[in-house]
Amino acid sequence: MPFLTIYRDEQVNSTVVPNQFIDDYMKDANDAQLKVYLYLLRMMNAHQATSVSDIADKFNHTEKDVIRALKYWQKLQLLDLDYDSGKNLTGIHIRDLDTPAESYAGRGTGSVSSFIPEPVLSGSAGFPDEKDGPPQSAGIPPAAPASDDRSTSYEKPSYSADQLREFKSRQDTAQLLFIAESYIGKPLTPSEIKTILYFTDVLHFSDDLIDYLLQYCVDKGKKDFKYIEKVAVNWAEEGISTPKQARKTACRYDKNIYTIMRGLGKDGSPTGRELEYINRWLKEYGFSTDIILEACERTVLATDKHRFEYADSILSSWKRQNVHQKSDIRGIDDLYRQRKKPQSPSKQTNNRFNQFPQNNYDFDVLEQELLSN
């Protein structure tokens, strides 16, 4: 009997996980750490890029949870984090577990990375800043790795039924719960009401800050109270106590805001007024980022000053003309060019009589009028 040739499809829809990871590392990792590492392996095998915010959205974690997981695996020397000169995370190198750790000493940041994050503003939460010191060299774990455990000062108590009744009986609680139910779109469960109590009792959030917290999470499509609680704890750890501080921090993670700021030639965080413009374009006008960037490009070519006002005039005009996609803009441009075309002058003979006003007479009508008299 002849030998058989064994083959398979070129595209293998699977991810290989090293046995050493399962045997030695998986048992001690928490939920977020496991999800992040396995997802990085999956994206590396597929030769695809991702970002911190994309990973957070996919697994219903916060961006800070993802950063903590990355630093955890860096501490265990399963991966290396690459930074640019501005201390921004630019790539991740996943190590081969069969290769001795000593072989990675002195690895340059030019190695191929399995993970390319979206650009972030320098000093963004979750990335190195001045108080963290310079970025760690690839392959060398940080001197004082960040702990993945929640601070004990923010531990959520197990509230009793009496405590819950007392909270609901407060004069200002009814309005706060009504706001929460309006954002979530359903009556709150006892567990969710306890989470609201936790925000006021332990995190010491004001009603205005809780209002903005719920609005921020719902705008991101997150109505799960576990996710909302994670965001709240992150804000508390960062010392956020007002909606203004929360808005400033939220801008660091919003890819759309960062992209629009860059499109207008701005490198820093937006001011309150600039953020109002961006939110108007995204939410009130309902424009996609590519349409807004088209307006930004035209603005940069036209002026160096008052760029937000100029871009707003373009976008408000497009809103009035029912622009929904870039092809609509091309139609408006074509119509504008046609209207601006110079009219060709009528051919006239070069004589002195052309200096007088020219009249058009209907000689048949004139003849009838003369005959009737």
Side-chain angles (χ1 to χ4, degrees), residues 105-175:
R107 185 187 66 84
T109 57
S111 301
V112 176
S113 300
S114 65
F115 163 83
I116 307 297
E118 294 285 343
V120 294
L121 300 179
S122 179
S124 296
F127 293 89
D129 52 28
E130 274 68 15
K131 67 182 181 182
D132 293 325
Q136 298 296 326
S137 300
I140 303 177
S147 173
D148 187 67
D149 297 330
R150 178 185 293 185
S151 172
T152 55
S153 61
Y154 299 129
E155 194 68 32
K156 185 178 181 180
S158 298
Y159 293 107
S160 65
D162 291 337
Q163 289 175 306
L164 187 60
R165 278 194 297 270
E166 190 276 331
F167 173 64
K168 293 172 67 175
S169 67
R170 295 179 192 172
Q171 187 174 359
D172 56 346
T173 299
Q175 181 178 0

Side-chain angles (χ1 to χ4, degrees), residues 139-252:
I140 303 177
S147 173
D148 187 67
D149 297 330
R150 178 185 293 185
S151 172
T152 55
S153 61
Y154 299 129
E155 194 68 32
K156 185 178 181 180
S158 298
Y159 293 107
S160 65
D162 291 337
Q163 289 175 306
L164 187 60
R165 278 194 297 270
E166 190 276 331
F167 173 64
K168 293 172 67 175
S169 67
R170 295 179 192 172
Q171 187 174 359
D172 56 346
T173 299
Q175 181 178 0
L176 183 59
L177 296 181
F178 174 78
I179 292 172
E181 290 176 347
S182 299
Y183 282 124
I184 303 302
K186 68 175 184 65
L188 299 182
T189 65
S191 175
E192 292 168 343
I193 296 176
K194 289 179 182 179
T195 302
I196 299 289
L197 171 58
Y198 167 67
F199 295 159
T200 62
D201 178 46
V202 177
L203 304 185
H204 305 294
F205 280 10
S206 66
D207 289 357
D208 288 342
L209 185 55
I210 295 174
D211 186 332
Y212 180 75
L213 168 68
L214 295 169
Q215 177 187 343
Y216 168 77
C217 293
V218 170
D219 284 347
K220 289 173 66 68
K222 307 293 185 181
K223 296 184 178 182
D224 181 3
F225 262 75
K226 290 183 180 179
Y227 178 87
I228 296 172
E229 183 180 331
K230 289 179 181 179
V231 174
V233 171
N234 286 342
W235 286 5
E237 290 175 345
E238 294 174 18
I240 293 173
S241 58
T242 66
K244 182 178 180 181
Q245 293 172 331
R247 278 191 290 269
K248 186 175 181 180
T249 300
C251 292
R252 298 172 181 172

